[in-house]
Amino acid sequence: MALSIFSLVTGLYVLHFSIALILVNKEVPQTRGMLYPRESETREVRSLDGIWNFVRSDQANPTQGVRDEWYAKELSKSRPTIPMPVPASYNDITTDNLRDHVGTVWYDRKFFVPRSWSKDQRIWLRFGSVHYEAYVWINGQKVVKHEMGHLPFEAEVTDLLSYGAENRITVMCDNALIQTTVPQGRITEVPNDGGMTIVQSYTFDFFNYAGIHRSVHLYTTPRTFIEEVEVTTNLSKDATVGEVFYSVSVNGSAANEADNVLQIQANLYDKDGILVANATSDQKLGGKLQVNPVKPWWPYLMHSEPGYLYQLEIKLLATNDELLDVYRLKVGIRTLSWNSQQFLINGKPVYFRGFGRHEDSDIRGKGLDNALMVRDFNLLKWIGANAYRTSHYPYSEESMQFADEHGIMIIDECPSVDTENFSQELLGKHKSSLEQLIHRDRNHPSVVMWSIANEPRTGSVSADSYFELVANFTRSLDKTRPITAAIAVSNTQDKAGRSLDIISFNRYNAWYSNAGRLDMITQNVIDEAIAWNKRYNKPIIMSEYGADTLEGLHMQPAYVWSEEFQTEVFSRHFKAFDELRKKGWFIGEFVWNFADFKTAQSYTRVGGNKKGVFTRARQPKAAAHLLRKRYFALGRDLDQCSFPEDLFTYIADLIS
Ligand code: GCB
């Protein structure tokens, strides 16, 4: 018996060791450029958003369009097209079942390029995101291929365009998720009434919306141009002096000519447009700006002027002072630090009060929608939240800019969900998703933490080395922010926590475990948080808790799915959180979910996931009013914010 246990342990060790050997740290492709398209005196931006033409491939023949070269001419010459809005998911637009289509779809449209654009500049084509894989042609010529939803990509198209003439853009988009995509899924062939059909399945619950999800832009740059700007900031101990470190990469012929030394002029303006710091760097394309006195970037409700942003103007000059290029971006000056107990911003401990969210709404699915985005931020501020996690993928660049401006802290999550069946190929893609995310979001003051996965299967032996590699890779790209992952396996099984800086755990007491048992929440939450902290000696966040709630369903005493039940579930968690806050290392609570959202069809979901505090139409459920009182109470207690006048409804003179 002893021998067999010994050989079992040895076997596991060998397995672990061999997996560690198999998973090697291969290089991932490095993203270049991709600055958010902004106009300036040297740059023009043009939107290609609008109604495009659309064709779905036959599900059984997804590569036919490529073989038959549908991109060589207008799509309508190959197949009848239908109109399709961009940006939007295509799934919920039509009345037939495009919703459940698996495989490739095609988009095209025409656009005009002015004659003036032919003069001595470069033209770039940029997609905010296409889910999941995109192939792009301009006038029948292949331009770029990109894998990974929710992240931008671009390519230079200067030599492919006709100037002063009409042009055509064609996009093929593939929504198939397999075991080596991020996130993972499975494609199976199963019999149906018509013979055989292809079925897409995945373990996560949010619907796999697809299409051209974010804006498509053409933009111009000079021949020699500012390709990248990276910014980090610092504050003096007393928070009166700020420092902005910038480094710039330049692309173009002038950058390579030794005799044409370039200069970077950096100007920093405050909110009123007053120049507060400037510097000109000789030879090296980077430097430091000092701001004295500084207005630091603070989260919402932690300061009377949250989300303070400066404007950084980067000018690229040739030696003769000729202005080659100008790019402007917003900068928030703040510091982040963390230890085994706390997470601090500008030296002050932070307690997160927030949400897990989704980019999801009726009809447009995951398509960028400015009206929805502004409404969501109004609701976040109304309810007194100071943070959210971009569960379970990167959100739009526009929403990141909005969070900067409104002082909402972001735990920025890559698209790795329910990660399992760890392989070298998956590791490469997972790392690439983080590389693309960090490259895109590194300059946002609102981004305070990277989440490297949601509910990965971290109980398995191979998770140990896998997550060590993923976490170390993330750290190699950004040392200024801590790393977390939302973990769902038990703390005794988990193998990823040792590689993280902050432990986040998801748990559904009284829902997925002990359904309906309100008396089995508070102590379980306290015990589990303590166990996580004991095991890893790191700050702890509860990153998901909640209960599905059908708006308008009322039951007293509280019963699952009713508004009373959701309210009670929250209240029992609040009790646990207050107990845990006293311990010093419990640093945040995130409700699941901000709003109801669409899921794949299943018998556990009635019209989608209903754990929203708001409905899918962004109206509050009863629990929203309770949560609002708590988030503002925490804000007043911890950050001395004041209460909104309508927080408490008048009841009687007897109650205050
Ligand atoms: C979870 C997942 C989240 C789900 C949620 C639920 O643990 O992280 O994506 O939506 O549970 O409601 O089942």
Side-chain angles (χ1 to χ4, degrees), residues 39-58:
E39 303 215 296
S40 75
E41 44 277 57
T42 57
R43 293 167 174 242
E44 277 181 69
V45 180
R46 234 186 208 210
S47 167
L48 292 183
D49 292 353
I51 305 293
W52 292 43
N53 309 302
F54 181 92
V55 169
R56 88 172 84 171
S57 311
D58 297 335

Side-chain angles (χ1 to χ4, degrees), residues 65-240:
V66 175
R67 273 185 280 111
D68 294 353
E69 302 185 352
W70 289 358
Y71 51 82
K73 43 194 189 309
E74 290 159 47
L75 277 179
S76 59
K77 300 261 164 36
S78 303
R79 284 283 177 98
T81 62
I82 57 168
M84 188 57 69
V86 169
S89 301
Y90 58 73
N91 308 76
D92 291 347
I93 303 290
T94 64
T95 49
D96 63 349
N97 191 8
L98 187 52
R99 184 189 61 214
D100 298 325
H101 176 74
V102 183
T104 56
V105 298
W106 290 73
Y107 291 77
D108 83 353
R109 69 161 283 173
K110 290 183 180 163
F111 59 96
F112 216 87
V113 177
R115 233 181 321 178
S116 59
W117 277 20
S118 61
K119 289 198 193 77
D120 210 27
Q121 54 187 348
R122 297 171 167 212
I123 321 294
W124 301 83
L125 172 66
R126 188 186 196 274
F127 289 79
S129 79
V130 177
H131 187 76
Y132 171 79
E133 190 166 20
Y135 297 74
V136 183
W137 295 262
I138 291 276
N139 299 326
Q141 303 288 311
K142 188 161 180 222
V143 176
V144 65
K145 166 184 178 300
H146 179 259
E147 176 179 346
M148 203 72 67
H150 321 287
L151 286 160
F153 58 96
E154 68 179 10
E156 185 174 0
V157 292
T158 317
D159 297 335
L160 299 174
L161 293 172
S162 304
Y163 294 88
E166 203 167 54
N167 291 266
R168 190 181 65 254
I169 178 169
T170 313
V171 177
M172 184 180 83
C173 161
D174 189 349
N175 69 353
L177 300 179
I178 56 172
Q179 285 297 287
T180 50
T181 55
V182 181
Q184 292 162 291
R186 277 181 205 282
I187 303 272
T188 39
E189 218 185 338
V190 292
N192 71 349
D193 291 347
M196 293 297 276
T197 189
I198 286 166
V199 171
Q200 169 80 70
S201 60
Y202 34 88
T203 54
F204 52 88
D205 73 340
F206 59 95
F207 188 77
N208 186 37
Y209 276 116
I212 304 178
H213 276 161
R214 297 185 191 142
S215 291
V216 187
H217 288 113
L218 280 175
Y219 70 94
T220 70
T221 64
R223 290 249 153 233
T224 298
F225 68 102
I226 298 163
E227 190 179 35
E228 315 220 348
V229 182
E230 189 175 355
V231 172
T232 53
T233 64
N234 203 5
L235 281 176
S236 61
K237 274 228 162 71
D238 61 357
T240 55

